[in-house]
Amino acid sequence: QRAGPAARPLTGRRALVTAGPTHEPIDPVRYIANRSSGKQGFAIAGALADLGAEVTLVAGPVSLPTPPGIRRVDVETAREMAAAVEAALPADVAVMVAAVADWRVEPSGQKIKKPADGTPPALMLGENPDILAGLSAGPRRPRLVVGFAAETNDVIAHATAKRQRKGCDWIVANDVSGDVMGGEANSVHIITAAGVESWDRLPKGEVAARIAQRIADELA
Ligand code: CTP
Ligand code: CA
């Protein structure tokens, strides 16, 4: 039911969401990746659109349908994601759900072959740009910047420190010690300047709806 303006409080607002993993090529046939499915980020993009927002979804490589009414930009690497985020500005709110690869390699143009003597090749890792930190500190910072933090231990302590370090307004801390990555449910803590709010384990769609509503309240 999408009745009156009260049901679509984000009408006229621009939202930017990142979702999924990034892939960092090693050579034409191999890449570095992670277990992010994109489900939570896609659900948040859909929930923001349901509340009336104009949503740009910057998606890493995932196999998910685009939620209705959303502009989707597909990317592969962290650097492509950073460029797509920049191109999607300005926005009133950014929700950075993507599991961005922290490191990349300088990819080989040709397939790396096994050397005859069996010595494994050494991968030289370089750090990727921190998209969230860059956005938070940048000249076109959205009014509300929300980061995610995937943690397996000391979840609240790590996420609280991450909020400071990244300069974002909220961190949604994700306990990924169980089957969260790729799974259907999520157990999160919302960390803001005011403190920590812990939600029960909920389906990802419900987590998304609650986060979208909280964003609408904040921007009202
Ligand atoms: N993020 C980002 N760009 C990166 C790395 C992370 O924008 N290069 C964003 C993620 O989208 C997420 C937040 O930063 O919103 C936290 O990501 P996370 O991997 O938990 O934080 P890191 O700072 O990379 O710390 P670590 O992996 O060491 O826990
Ligand atoms: Ca990381």
Side-chain angles (χ1 to χ4, degrees), residues 16-18 82 85-91 93-96 130-146 166-168:
L16 164 62
V17 179
T18 67
V85 163
E86 188 64 33
L89 296 175
V93 55
V95 190
M96 313 298 269
D130 191 317
I131 304 167
L132 172 60
L135 185 70
S136 297
R140 297 207 288 165
R141 187 192 200 280
R143 186 169 132 203
L144 182 62
V145 178
V146 182
K166 305 263 185 181
C168 56

Side-chain angles (χ1 to χ4, degrees), residues 66-161:
T66 309
I70 281 174
R71 189 172 81 91
R72 172 171 172 179
V73 180
D74 285 312
V75 298
E76 186 184 356
T77 67
R79 285 188 290 181
E80 287 168 13
M81 184 172 277
V85 163
E86 188 64 33
L89 296 175
D92 298 291
V93 55
V95 190
M96 313 298 269
V97 196
V100 183
D102 292 322
W103 305 289
R104 67 172 181 271
V105 297
E106 198 50 61
S108 161
Q110 295 182 326
K111 184 182 172 190
I112 301 170
K113 301 300 289 179
K114 285 185 290 185
D117 70 358
T119 316
L123 292 181
M124 269 281 279
L125 300 179
E127 194 164 345
N128 270 327
D130 191 317
I131 304 167
L132 172 60
L135 185 70
S136 297
R140 297 207 288 165
R141 187 192 200 280
R143 186 169 132 203
L144 182 62
V145 178
V146 182
F148 266 64
E151 311 288 351
T152 57
N153 57 284
D154 302 317
V155 176
I156 290 171
H158 281 312
T160 302

Side-chain angles (χ1 to χ4, degrees), residues 19-44:
T22 64
H23 285 182
E24 309 296 330
I26 296 169
D27 68 17
V29 299
R30 306 183 176 97
Y31 56 82
I32 297 172
N34 62 65
R35 292 188 190 281
S36 171
S37 66
K39 283 177 192 164
Q40 187 65 79
F42 272 56
I44 288 171

